[in-house]
Amino acid sequence: MKYYRDLRSFIAALDDLGDIMHVRREVDCDYEPAAITRRSCEIQSPAPLFEQVQGVAPGFRLFGAPASLSSLPAMPYARVAMSLGLPPASSGPEIIEALSAARSQPGIPPVRVESAAAPCQQNILRGEEASLDRFPIPFAHDKDGGRYANTWGTLIVKTPDGKWVNWSIARVMKVDGKRMTALIVPSQHIGQIWGEWVKKGEPMPYALVQGPAPAISCVSGIPIPAHADEADYTGTLAGEPVEVVKAVSLDLDVPATAEIVIEGHVSITRDCMEGPYGEYGGYLGEGSSAQPTFHVETITYRDDPIWPMSITGRPTDESHTLWAMGLAADALTYLREAKLPVKTAWIPEDSAVHWLLVVMPENWREQLPETSSETLAQRIGEVLFKTSSMVFIPTVYVVDEDFDPTNLREVAWVLATRVHPTGRRAVFEDQRVIRLPQCYEEREYVDGKGPKVVFDTLQSIRHRHASFAEGYPEAVRQRVLANWPDN
């Protein structure tokens, strides 16, 4: 395992693999870096590092697609795996197993270092000098409500009593040099904590951290149980404590090796319009909503800072790799805790986080005697749809293990040939619906309720595949392979 303690060492490691695209010409922050990043995601090219950005001081850089699919065909999940300290060739299911396993291990709390040892505080801006206008904050899509100051950074907040510290990713839109606004969903952890400050009648302190250690960004973007500390969980994944430093103006600890830290307070009312924004479902956003204001009071940053960004849209980007893996790991953890013998769970990137595959081992019937596949599908839905993270998933498929769930061609074949046209599904009516999944009707978004479904595609009899691997005797296959042309 190799844990990258800061974003720079991670970028250098990707560069060594040939997975960094150096953009050395000057780029216009109005759309150009975002458009390059979006195309890099869609054609699976190296991650772009923008070394000259128009309108900001020399040395300030942008970094796109930090956890999208890599450009290396043999290791498509290298960016996610390396972010988490895993080998670059790790498979998707291996990453999910690591995320799930860490949930059951003791957390490793962070360790505080002195300010002099914290690169994130090499430069300190206070008062009017602490302006977002100094930084290369891009427009992500041409229909967005503004420049988005956060798409891959970590928001750090804690409850008024200090007992729960939350590190999370939420989209944050720049209003002007001294104000931002963020999509704060009441049911999400940051929304719950903000609600406690609202009840107290005091603005919530926050720190917005750009470019911490990649593992921190990843953990901030996946579900873990409420009241669990992401810093401790990150330490477990890394095998060592995360180094933090006390924020300059707040009673919050922030990652010491971060590139940029924005400090301030959040209003207690939804007094600013946020959005629209092009989201992971693959469509440009429509409409805006009233959200709290994030007031900017202090900014600290490293010399020659790097601002990372995730430009969400049609697959594949960070929301379809890291976030999907985090949701799948969450589902796998809860299903196993319910004593269901699940082999793995997987969300295909190309489903835009709308499908979850629950993969059952070949001997699941022996492990669950007297349980039909229909009953199993019902039980899986009962477990999953009670969890907060599954609010994003409208459709679940329970599948056999006789194919590769990470191979979309095989997924399409299995679903096309094993989903019964009229039956073998468990429908769960009146489930919680939010606007991020794209498949519901307007009345369901307004009501906040809609159906979810679990399809039972399990075979009663294991059918052999008409394929090279299963359709021919072993001796024939070996002879074919031994005589296969090299070119």
Side-chain angles (χ1 to χ4, degrees):
M1 289 181 61
K2 168 64 174 176
Y3 170 58
Y4 298 95
R5 294 180 177 86
D6 65 4
L7 180 62
R8 299 175 183 210
S9 61
F10 172 71
I11 291 174
L14 289 180
D15 208 3
D16 289 342
L17 289 176
D19 198 31
I20 293 292
M21 175 173 60
H22 292 272
V23 181
R24 295 187 170 92
R25 64 178 178 83
E26 186 177 76
V27 293
D28 183 345
C29 216
D30 285 346
Y31 309 118
E32 193 174 9
I36 292 170
T37 299
R38 178 102 288 277
R39 186 168 191 269
S40 79
C41 291
E42 294 176 6
I43 68 172
Q44 212 168 320
S45 78
L49 178 64
F50 302 93
E51 300 181 13
Q52 292 189 63
V53 183
Q54 191 178 96
V56 296
F60 283 42
R61 291 163 288 173
L62 285 167
F63 176 50
S68 187
L69 292 174
S70 86
S71 60
L72 310 169
M75 46 184 81
Y77 305 111
R79 294 180 205 168
V80 177
M82 292 168 65
S83 294
L84 297 170
L86 299 171
S90 298
S91 69
E94 287 171 340
I95 295 170
I96 288 173
E97 286 291 343
L99 292 172
S100 180
R103 293 264 291 260
S104 62
Q105 298 173 25
I108 299 178
V111 59
R112 184 186 279 188
V113 301
E114 296 299 320
S115 179
C120 71
Q121 294 179 354
Q122 288 173 333
N123 303 274
I124 300 175
L125 303 173
R126 295 182 173 90
E128 290 306 310
E129 284 194 327
S131 172
L132 298 173
D133 294 335
R134 290 174 173 265
F135 296 89
I137 300 174
F139 266 104
H141 318 91
D142 69 352
K143 299 296 184 182
D144 288 351
R147 299 180 187 275
Y148 268 78
N150 193 50
T151 55
W152 194 243
T154 294
L155 276 167
I156 299 178
V157 299
K158 67 179 176 181
T159 51
D161 61 12
K163 293 181 178 179
W164 180 16
V165 178
N166 177 243
W167 294 8
S168 64
I169 294 179
R171 73 188 201 204
V172 180
M173 188 183 81
K174 176 185 174 183
V175 178
D176 54 37
K178 299 295 290 181
R179 295 180 300 158
M180 304 180 290
T181 183
L183 180 64
I184 302 298
V185 179
S187 61
Q188 293 182 324
H189 294 169
I190 191 173
Q192 295 173 33
I193 294 174
W194 179 68
E196 292 193 28
W197 286 95
V198 170
K199 289 178 183 177
K200 193 176 180 183
E202 295 182 9
M204 178 177 70
Y206 79 91
L208 174 54
V209 179
Q210 298 293 347
I216 294 172
S217 301
C218 288
V219 170
S220 300
I222 65 175
I224 66 173
H227 300 278
D229 283 354
E230 285 80 6
D232 296 10
Y233 179 75
T234 303
T236 299
L237 287 169
E240 62 182 65
V242 173
E243 289 189 345
V244 295
V245 64
K246 185 181 181 301
V248 169
S249 63
L250 305 170
D251 183 24
L252 289 173
D253 285 341
V254 300
T257 63
E259 296 288 327
I260 302 165
V261 179
I262 302 167
E263 304 174 13
H265 288 79
V266 184
S267 64
I268 62 173
T269 58
R270 295 182 182 270
D271 51 7
C272 195
M273 298 305 291
E274 186 274 339
Y277 180 70
E279 270 289 0
Y280 69 90
Y283 300 91
L284 293 173
E286 297 179 2
S288 58
S289 61
Q291 300 296 339
T293 300
F294 285 62
H295 295 279
V296 177
E297 297 159 10
T298 304
I299 301 177
T300 72
Y301 62 95
R302 295 180 69 154
D303 294 337
D304 299 330
I306 304 171
W307 190 296
M309 58 182 184
S310 172
I311 306 301
T312 52
R314 285 177 55 178
T316 303
D317 55 60
E318 289 72 21
S319 60
H320 313 115
T321 56
L322 184 278
W323 187 47
M325 290 182 188
L327 292 176
D330 194 61
L332 181 65
T333 301
Y334 282 114
L335 290 170
R336 287 179 175 169
E337 287 177 353
K339 308 302 182 185
L340 296 176
V342 176
K343 180 177 181 181
T344 192
W346 183 253
I347 296 174
E349 301 99 56
D350 296 270
S351 77
V353 200
H354 284 57
W355 294 352
L356 170 69
L357 307 183
V358 177
V359 183
M360 301 301 296
E362 189 172 0
N363 66 343
W364 73 265
R365 288 179 174 82
E366 298 171 19
Q367 299 184 61
L368 296 174
E370 301 181 6
T371 299
S372 66
S373 61
E374 292 86 353
T375 300
L376 177 62
Q378 179 72 30
R379 179 66 180 131
I380 286 172
E382 291 170 353
V383 171
L384 291 180
F385 296 142
K386 290 178 182 176
T387 67
S388 59
S389 63
M390 287 299 107
V391 69
F392 300 101
I393 303 294
T395 306
V396 177
Y397 295 93
V398 187
V399 296
D400 290 295
E401 66 166 334
D402 63 329
F403 74 105
D404 178 4
T406 70
N407 184 320
L408 188 62
R409 178 179 293 178
E410 295 190 30
V411 171
W413 168 65
V414 164
L415 299 188
T417 59
R418 299 180 191 176
V419 174
H420 191 277
T422 62
R424 295 184 62 192
R425 70 190 71 183
V427 179
F428 295 78
E429 302 286 356
D430 295 328
Q431 299 297 305
R432 188 159 67 92
V433 165
I434 60 176
R435 286 192 176 269
L436 290 175
Q438 297 287 327
C439 56
Y440 291 102
E441 298 176 359
E442 180 61 25
R443 63 175 178 80
E444 293 170 318
Y445 292 125
V446 172
D447 293 342
K449 292 182 179 181
K452 294 180 182 285
V453 63
V454 180
F455 286 95
D456 165 22
T457 77
L458 296 169
Q459 303 171 95
S460 56
I461 301 173
R462 165 72 159 91
H463 297 286
R464 290 176 60 192
H465 304 171
S467 65
F468 178 76
E470 294 192 11
Y472 305 92
E474 173 70 13
V476 172
R477 287 187 284 119
Q478 291 299 327
R479 187 162 62 250
V480 168
L481 292 174
N483 291 281
W484 196 261
D486 293 332
N487 52 19

